[in-house]
Amino acid sequence: MRKALPDRPSVLLVISGGIAAYKALDLIRRLRDRGLGVRALMTKGAQEFVTPLAVGALTGGKVFTDLFDREDEQDVGHIRLARENDLVVVAPATADIMAKMAGGHADDLATAVLLATQSPVLIAPAMNPAMWAHPATQRNVATLSADGVNFVGPARGEMAEAGEAGVGRMAEPLDIVSAVLDVIGPHQHATRLAGRRVLITSGPTLEAVDPVRYIANRSSGKQGHAIAAAAAAEGALVTLVSGPVGIPDPPGVTVIHVESARDMLAAVEAALPADVAVMAAAVADWRPAKPSRGKIKKDGTGKVEPLQLVENPDILASIGRHHTLRPTLVIGFAAETADLVRNAKVKLKAKGADWILANDVSEGSGVMGGDDNTVSVVSAAGVEAWPKMTKADVAARLVERIAAALPRRREAAE
Ligand code: CTP
């Protein structure tokens, strides 16, 4: 019987010897961000690429390396190691370890544990495209699939070897986390956005006039950050691209700090693909055409040079009309001081969004910088006016709507 860990789901990460082993460090951090416990086991080959010290610093525990280590065996033992987890992940999985798994070998700690485990196994292959395409590897993939092993990747892309490209690159850590939540999610981590990638913008953007001055929009970031926190609490993999704000980063969220609208657009595009985009930032519509390298000085005559402005890119429209990577659900806001719903409908169409959350930001509404918000959700289906509530409640309700609107994933609960 496999011992169920009562407090939180736990993953045994087997790191085998490939250049992608360095990505295992990021993977550990991201798994722990999702609230999962991580124990690591390294093959001899893996230790040529990253050290057990580095891996242990990230797991916060002992790293297992040797089948015949007396201390390890007395301490935990390979059979307990194989059983005391909810999932075994092999990342990177080399062609060699896959061959050993397919053949039922058990001549080192990693293969012994993989043979002894009764937990689900997920592997992230990483190898040269020729090795991946080789009939022997493909036979092993078929055998392992038939044995019930789950796969994530490999992806197509450039290899570590200069100039080589093809299928064989290890899946990105975020995709592996997504696959992990897919496998254990329905049983252990039943949250409504488990494994979904949600991309959020928040806060203002600042557009430099010179090294000391800028133009910006008024925005506290409270609403966007609350949505990021609510999505993460539902198990989503959240990337929050935030302009400068005075509030802390939400927990369990990958935060990218930017300053200008152009930087925000670049960060948003780099964070694709995503299942959902919520563009809550108050992006400055214009920027100074020629920001000055040096501080602009007053000339003492009282004359002021007019500031030439150019329009900034529209981030929501770029995502809503993205040719290849448009998220399934694209959500924007409309900050209005008049004709709320009419203007929101125009923005919905113009920016290719699925929903627009329209809010009245006129003076006296208290929305800018405040803790409450009154929104109307405008979509092709019509207009739904929500009562005044806290920004945290708006976030929770929006996340609920998002979870209900996304197409259901393959049911892993069978
Ligand atoms: N937005 C954006 N990039 C811009 C401007 C706006 O992504 N350069 C997004 C905002 O994050 C919001 C939506 O577009 O989700 C609407 O923003 P809003 O400020 O209400 O409207 P604008 O498009 O700026 O139009 P206007 O200022 O004329 O009302």
Side-chain angles (χ1 to χ4, degrees):
M1 264 288 288
R2 157 158 97 92
K3 181 178 166 247
L5 297 181
D7 44 357
R8 56 182 181 161
S10 127
V11 169
L12 175 67
L13 175 64
V14 176
I15 307 172
S16 71
I19 181 71
Y22 78 92
K23 285 194 194 168
L25 299 176
D26 189 30
L27 175 61
I28 294 168
R29 195 171 60 82
R30 290 181 186 278
L31 288 169
R32 295 195 65 188
D33 271 357
R34 306 306 319 138
L36 301 167
V38 184
R39 245 181 193 173
L41 185 168
M42 299 175 75
T43 65
K44 271 210 168 58
Q47 294 168 59
E48 299 289 331
F49 294 94
V50 284
T51 64
L53 199 64
V55 172
L58 287 162
T59 59
K62 184 175 171 55
V63 176
F64 299 86
T65 51
D66 194 352
L67 182 57
F68 303 109
D69 182 319
R70 254 222 233 122
E71 211 180 287
D72 278 11
E73 276 303 300
Q74 273 170 10
D75 239 18
V76 179
H78 66 279
I79 298 297
R80 266 181 64 194
L81 203 51
R83 292 188 177 167
E84 285 181 359
N85 59 70
D86 298 287
L87 174 69
V88 181
V89 177
V90 189
T94 58
D96 182 62
I97 202 164
M98 285 168 55
K100 285 183 169 152
M101 287 169 74
H105 291 235
D107 62 351
D108 66 0
L109 184 60
T111 47
V113 162
L114 283 159
L115 196 62
T117 193
Q118 291 166 332
S119 306
V121 175
L122 171 70
I123 75 176
M127 67 197 72
N128 175 279
M131 292 168 85
W132 173 253
H134 195 284
T137 303
Q138 291 304 312
R139 265 197 313 276
N140 294 332
V141 170
T143 304
L144 291 170
S145 298
D147 289 349
V149 169
N150 302 280
F151 283 78
V152 51
R156 176 177 292 280
E158 274 193 27
M159 308 305 294
E161 298 91 334
E164 284 214 39
V167 176
R169 221 181 126 95
M170 186 171 90
E172 290 304 317
L174 272 182
D175 294 320
I176 300 176
V177 173
S178 192
V180 164
L181 296 177
D182 257 358
V183 177
I184 63 172
H187 310 290
Q188 304 274 359
H189 204 77
T191 41
R192 305 188 59 197
L193 290 177
R196 301 287 196 174
R197 289 168 75 149
V198 178
L199 172 59
I200 296 168
T201 63
S202 184
T205 65
L206 308 191
E207 311 295 332
V209 173
D210 69 16
V212 294
R213 305 180 180 98
Y214 58 79
I215 56 171
N217 277 355
R218 237 186 252 284
S219 168
S220 65
K222 283 182 183 170
Q223 186 63 80
H225 279 53
I227 296 166
E234 282 293 342
L237 304 163
V238 181
T239 302
L240 173 66
V241 181
S242 174
V245 292
I247 55 176
D249 290 350
V253 166
T254 303
V255 185
I256 300 166
H257 296 276
V258 296
E259 212 167 87
S260 70
R262 286 188 295 174
D263 292 346
M264 184 173 274
L265 175 62
V268 161
E269 283 182 337
L272 292 173
D275 297 293
V276 183
V278 184
M279 304 284 101
V283 183
D285 293 292
W286 310 281
R287 65 177 183 276
K290 287 195 195 100
S292 168
R293 281 173 176 258
K295 185 180 173 199
I296 302 168
K297 303 296 282 181
K298 292 189 286 287
D299 69 1
T301 65
K303 247 181 57 197
V304 183
E305 281 295 317
L307 203 53
Q308 296 289 336
L309 298 175
V310 288
E311 202 169 307
N312 265 328
D314 191 310
I315 301 165
L316 173 59
S318 319
I319 300 306
R321 306 216 168 279
H322 204 287
H323 289 306
T324 48
L325 294 173
R326 186 190 189 276
T328 310
L329 208 49
V330 175
I331 302 164
F333 277 76
E336 305 293 346
T337 51
D339 290 333
L340 193 68
V341 168
R342 196 159 59 89
N343 282 330
K345 281 183 177 163
V346 171
K347 284 179 186 167
L348 184 75
K349 273 226 175 88
K351 300 186 185 224
D354 298 297
W355 305 341
I356 291 278
L357 272 62
N359 51 359
D360 182 352
V361 293
S362 41
E363 242 182 291
S365 71
V367 169
M368 292 312 224
D371 289 324
D372 293 334
N373 207 352
T374 312
V375 305
S376 291
V377 183
V378 178
S379 71
V383 181
E384 193 186 310
W386 290 359
K388 180 172 176 169
M389 57 182 98
T390 64
K391 288 181 177 174
D393 285 343
V394 168
R397 193 153 167 180
L398 178 64
V399 163
E400 209 171 275
R401 291 299 164 93
I402 290 170
L406 284 176
R408 288 179 73 102
R409 288 187 142 181
R410 144 183 96 69
E411 290 296 355
E414 282 106 2

